[in-house]
Amino acid sequence: MSKKKHPYRLYLTEEQMPKQYYNLRADMKELPEPMLNPVTKNKATLEDLLPVFCEELARQELDDKTRYVDIPKEIQEMYRIYRPSPLIRAFNLEKYLQTPAKIYYKFEGNNTSGSHKLNSAIAQVYYAKQEGIKHLTTETGAGQWGTALAEACSYFNIPLSVYMVKASYEQKPFRKDIMRTFGANVIASPSNTTKVGKEILKNHPNTTEAVEKAVTTPDSKYVLGSVLNQVLLHQSIIGLECEKAFEILDEYPDIIIGCAGGGSNLGGLMAPFMRDKIKGKHNPRIIAVEPASCPTLTRGKYTYDYCDTGKMTPLAKMYTLGCDFIPAPNHAGGLRYHGMSPIISKLYHDKYLEAVSTKQTDVFDAAILFAQKETIFPAPESSHAIKVAIDEALKCKETGEEKTILFGLTGTGYFDMTAYSSYLDKTMTNYIPTDEELEKSFPNIIED
Amino acid sequence: MSKKKHPYRLYLTEEQMPKQYYNLRADMKELPEPMLNPVTKNKATLEDLLPVFCEELARQELDDKTRYVDIPKEIQEMYRIYRPSPLIRAFNLEKYLQTPAKIYYKFEGNNTSGSHKLNSAIAQVYYAKQEGIKHLTTETGAGQWGTALAEACSYFNIPLSVYMVKASYEQKPFRKDIMRTFGANVIASPSNTTKVGKEILKNHPNTTEAVEKAVTTPDSKYVLGSVLNQVLLHQSIIGLECEKAFEILDEYPDIIIGCAGGGSNLGGLMAPFMRDKIKGKHNPRIIAVEPASCPTLTRGKYTYDYCDTGKMTPLAKMYTLGCDFIPAPNHAGGLRYHGMSPIISKLYHDKYLEAVSTKQTDVFDAAILFAQKETIFPAPESSHAIKVAIDEALKCKETGEEKTILFGLTGTGYFDMTAYSSYLDKTMTNYIPTDEELEKSFPNIIED
């Protein structure tokens, strides 16, 4: 055990900040399966990706060899406005739980977008700007990604169209207005403005069409806040900062916990620790936490599937519930994506990481306790990780083990008050899909 | 000019954190007039204050001699969860404005209550707990104070009743639910549950009755988040942290700007700088910014008035619009209190500080610009200071002066989305009361 004094919040100095992203694929013993062209079913090439993504990002998507990627000065400059994010020791939560475990969390909510999504938004907008892109499109569910992207687009001065899941658009008018604050054009999706939109509108009332808009508009590209390899690359800054902070503390986490929707947060948080695990240098447990209502890793299939509902992006091999899967309407917050990052999927398949799913009301129990003890109001997404961190700390209480637990506190819950209100009013319900329900949305695209 | 490198965000180390509050009254050349017993009109004694406040806080209220007050260990312990707050250099805003001025802001929104109010809430709840108080009551307008107090009460495990201005209670259900998250009992006020409530209900639909509840319930005390001397004492931690940070930067602010409702933020922020000014060591300009719709300093009268609408607290000599004053319904956010801290009032009267008032839509112009450039979503209250900081920076642009500007960014605006939405939808209006309207609410309690 380290003898160093633990501060409540550890901030790296500007000199200590990472200057490069870390590409975990370069150290994986077995790589994720390649993406496939959705029409030919052949291995996707750079050319296949260019209609959707800008060139540098397409390159990052495919590059599984370059271990470290320099973070351009302009991106570092914008990171400096809100980074480093603090690594916080949850002394008060520990005391309340009476656990011998040390609980640390990396808090990514210290910016207007309120989540870690800004880390990749800035990178994606910067590269697009560099390549002369004049317009960006994206889709957003709970709204964290859309907000982050609006913020980055405002900073780099690029117009943005956000297709927002219709249910969220209607239930979260404030989320829409935050995006408008940053100058974004927010459209409830599916809309009647695209072919995909009209098609989807017929079959599903809750999905999006940003890809078509990008593909059919000149100098326009599509950006996505999770799942993609490029996103995990950018989000590695979370893990790299944590690694440095633990170095300063002269400690190493025994358990690393991240909520997982598409995998952007967990993939970034775990990156350097997973590297150590792959190399046999350390052996931390790494745990993905997902909602029981959208159980991609724990109950999904490991197979090729579309990344988007519109079926226009390349196919990726991943754990998926099927690109037609939509969580039950009582599901609050994000973590609603049907698939999981191919990198995380492969590592889970190869047993480098564990996955658990949690019920919504248990998640909010944990969220409220955390808010009361730690003075941060957590996003429902982040609270999945809180719930499992508490569970692990309580196990340590039973066994007396002084484990070091690290979890990712991805963001704040100020735009999720409707969910909090329903929890407080005891009208919140849980929904766990039956096997039959899941079977209906499983895809059958490529035989595994 | 200093040669030191400016970080974006400067955080003090735990060792550098203040261990004592600073009592500005001990250094004032002329003291504020004493509080008066509202019945006898004699100088208020400790005994006069005890029915309302707990003993240590009543003592702090009256003590104008003790220069430094030790911050109890338990309070320091809770401060450590969310403090130090960062001193941030607004590099991006500076660049956008093309000003030679350096703009710094002290950001106090890094906690669930979303504002600086937590600094005094923690102290007040701690002292009450020490004295065996079993229940606290308070009133809240925009809800920042109620949220902060709920958070502190949850931490120290004391039940709390919050009387929330009825208009806010109805327009801000999420604010109410954040307080419920921390276990507070929130009552729309005026209610039908107290004598004062029934009385007020007859005459005014928008005022509160927490004092009566405290006075008539055993082991119960009233706490207030602004105006009082004790609150400014606790909030001095803001200014003390700034002082230390500027020492580290080897700089000194030329202009210090704070929004002012009751004065809690400005009083705390300016404390050590005002001391230097009084002592002739430095001569910074210190500016209070208030809403044109509630122009206490700029258009109020310097006279004795009640601190509460229920007329149960001692009389204080202060700038006031009359304890019956209520801002027009289109007034968004806080800064709606009828009076101003007696300390700030006296210093303003003696010309140690300046005051300006700003129109609501100008405030939101500044807020949106700030959010876009600095990635923090400011509270409407804080945005009053942003507006004037921008004005001063633009004056520097004209004159070429490299002034150092410091302003208080008191909190975040996540619970003010209705106001932001009305601004974005261009339905927000301004209201500046006429002299005749102000005259109606001016009090006539004690001849000046």
Side-chain angles (χ1 to χ4, degrees), chain A residues 24-324:
Chain A
L24 180 58
R25 283 168 293 170
D27 284 314
M28 284 171 71
K29 292 212 168 132
E30 285 180 33
L31 285 169
E33 305 290 325
M35 285 197 290
L36 303 182
N37 178 307
V39 180
T40 66
K41 308 272 160 52
N42 292 328
K43 189 174 160 175
T45 62
L46 194 64
E47 284 64 39
D48 288 328
L49 298 186
L50 290 181
V52 180
F53 302 116
C54 76
E55 195 171 332
E56 177 57 29
L57 291 167
R59 219 182 292 281
Q60 290 181 0
E61 195 59 35
L62 297 176
D63 182 354
D64 50 28
K65 294 191 179 52
T66 310
R67 187 165 279 112
Y68 290 99
V69 176
D70 285 342
I71 305 174
K73 279 254 148 51
E74 294 82 352
I75 295 179
Q76 285 187 43
E77 198 61 18
M78 191 172 173
Y79 281 167
R80 283 176 68 209
I81 307 177
Y82 69 99
R83 304 201 70 81
S85 72
L87 181 72
I88 307 180
R89 174 86 183 265
F91 280 113
N92 289 282
L93 184 61
E94 289 172 18
K95 201 158 99 184
Y96 175 82
L97 298 174
Q98 298 182 288
T99 175
K102 292 180 192 170
I103 306 175
Y104 288 94
Y105 53 98
K106 180 73 166 165
F107 178 44
E108 292 287 323
N110 265 340
N111 63 72
T112 289
S113 80
S115 82
H116 70 293
K117 300 272 181 181
L118 191 56
N119 300 328
S120 184
I122 290 169
Q124 294 190 44
V125 176
Y126 168 75
Y127 290 119
K129 175 96 177 180
Q130 283 300 97
E131 292 179 24
I133 300 304
K134 300 268 184 294
H135 179 241
L136 289 172
T137 73
T138 197
E139 48 201 13
T140 198
Q144 285 185 340
W145 169 246
T147 309
L149 196 65
E151 195 165 334
C153 281
S154 157
Y155 182 86
F156 287 111
N157 203 17
I158 290 190
L160 171 69
S161 298
V162 179
Y163 291 83
M164 187 173 185
V165 172
K166 194 161 245 168
S168 295
Y169 184 91
E170 283 157 6
Q171 283 160 28
K172 296 188 166 190
F174 292 164
R175 189 52 102 168
K176 175 190 73 186
D177 283 335
I178 271 275
M179 293 188 248
R180 289 171 68 211
T181 294
F182 289 106
N185 177 27
V186 188
I187 305 127
S189 178
S191 72
N192 275 312
T193 67
T194 68
K195 195 174 150 216
V196 173
K198 285 175 193 156
E199 187 66 28
I200 296 172
L201 215 46
K202 254 195 290 174
N203 305 314
H204 309 283
N206 281 309
T207 43
T208 62
E209 67 221 85
V211 177
E212 179 185 326
K213 172 80 177 172
V215 172
T216 57
T217 311
D219 291 328
S220 183
K221 296 290 170 190
Y222 172 69
V223 285
L224 182 61
S226 194
V227 189
L228 301 172
N229 299 330
Q230 59 189 266
V231 174
L232 268 70
L233 177 72
H234 308 146
Q235 294 294 0
S236 69
I237 192 156
I238 304 174
L240 294 168
E241 283 185 14
C242 285
E243 184 188 29
K244 185 76 191 167
F246 277 108
E247 206 181 293
I248 293 167
L249 292 170
D250 197 14
E251 287 197 56
Y252 198 92
D254 299 303
I255 306 175
I256 294 147
I257 302 165
C259 61
S264 67
N265 157 65
L266 176 64
L269 175 71
M270 75 178 187
F273 304 108
M274 183 58 86
R275 177 201 61 213
D276 291 352
K277 184 168 179 144
I278 290 169
K279 294 190 168 185
K281 223 175 117 187
H282 286 278
N283 193 23
R285 287 175 59 203
I286 300 177
I287 308 174
V289 190
E290 56 186 19
S293 49
C294 188
T296 316
L297 287 173
T298 48
R299 296 176 66 199
K301 289 188 178 168
Y302 188 46
T303 185
Y304 272 103
D305 192 8
Y306 292 100
C307 295
D308 66 319
T309 322
K311 303 189 182 179
M312 297 185 76
T313 54
L315 298 165
K317 179 137 180 198
M318 58 184 178
Y319 280 86
T320 175
L321 298 167
C323 71
D324 292 338

Side-chain angles (χ1 to χ4, degrees), chain B residues 223-413:
Chain B
V223 285
L224 182 61
S226 194
V227 189
L228 301 172
N229 299 330
Q230 58 188 267
V231 173
L232 268 71
L233 177 72
H234 308 147
Q235 295 294 359
S236 69
I237 192 156
I238 304 173
L240 293 168
E241 283 185 13
C242 286
E243 185 188 30
K244 185 77 191 166
F246 276 108
E247 206 180 293
I248 293 168
L249 292 170
D250 197 14
E251 286 197 58
Y252 197 93
D254 299 302
I255 306 175
I256 294 147
I257 302 166
C259 61
S264 68
N265 157 65
L266 176 64
L269 176 71
M270 74 179 189
F273 305 107
M274 183 58 86
R275 177 202 60 212
D276 291 352
K277 185 168 178 143
I278 290 169
K279 294 191 167 185
K281 223 175 118 186
H282 286 279
N283 193 24
R285 287 176 59 204
I286 300 177
I287 308 174
V289 190
E290 56 185 18
S293 49
C294 188
T296 317
L297 287 172
T298 49
R299 298 176 66 199
K301 289 188 178 169
Y302 187 47
T303 184
Y304 272 102
D305 193 8
Y306 293 101
C307 295
D308 66 319
T309 322
K311 303 189 181 177
M312 297 185 76
T313 54
L315 297 166
K317 179 137 182 198
M318 57 185 177
Y319 280 86
T320 176
L321 297 166
C323 69
D324 292 337
F325 180 83
I326 293 165
N330 74 341
H331 173 93
L335 310 182
R336 51 175 68 243
Y337 187 70
H338 66 276
M340 179 61 65
S341 142
I343 296 174
I344 292 182
S345 291
K346 174 67 177 161
L347 289 164
Y348 177 63
H349 191 249
D350 292 350
K351 309 220 181 319
Y352 283 98
L353 60 87
E354 305 165 35
V356 293
S357 74
T358 58
K359 277 195 310 183
Q360 181 155 276
T361 48
D362 291 349
V363 166
F364 278 83
D365 283 344
I368 299 261
L369 176 64
F370 183 83
Q372 293 187 0
K373 298 300 158 196
E374 294 292 318
T375 79
I376 292 174
F377 190 61
E381 294 83 355
S382 324
S383 304
H384 286 73
I386 297 174
K387 155 75 179 137
V388 173
I390 292 173
D391 288 349
E392 291 295 331
L394 290 175
K395 282 184 209 162
C396 288
K397 184 179 175 179
E398 273 179 38
T399 62
E401 287 172 292
E402 290 183 33
K403 287 189 179 161
T404 296
I405 298 170
L406 164 65
F407 72 87
L409 189 72
T410 54
T412 50

Side-chain angles (χ1 to χ4, degrees), chain A residues 292-293 328 330-331 358-364 427-433:
Chain A
S293 49
N330 74 342
H331 172 95
T358 57
K359 277 194 310 183
Q360 179 155 277
T361 48
D362 291 348
V363 166
F364 278 82
T427 57
M428 176 175 278
T429 53
N430 291 302
Y431 186 79
I432 303 174

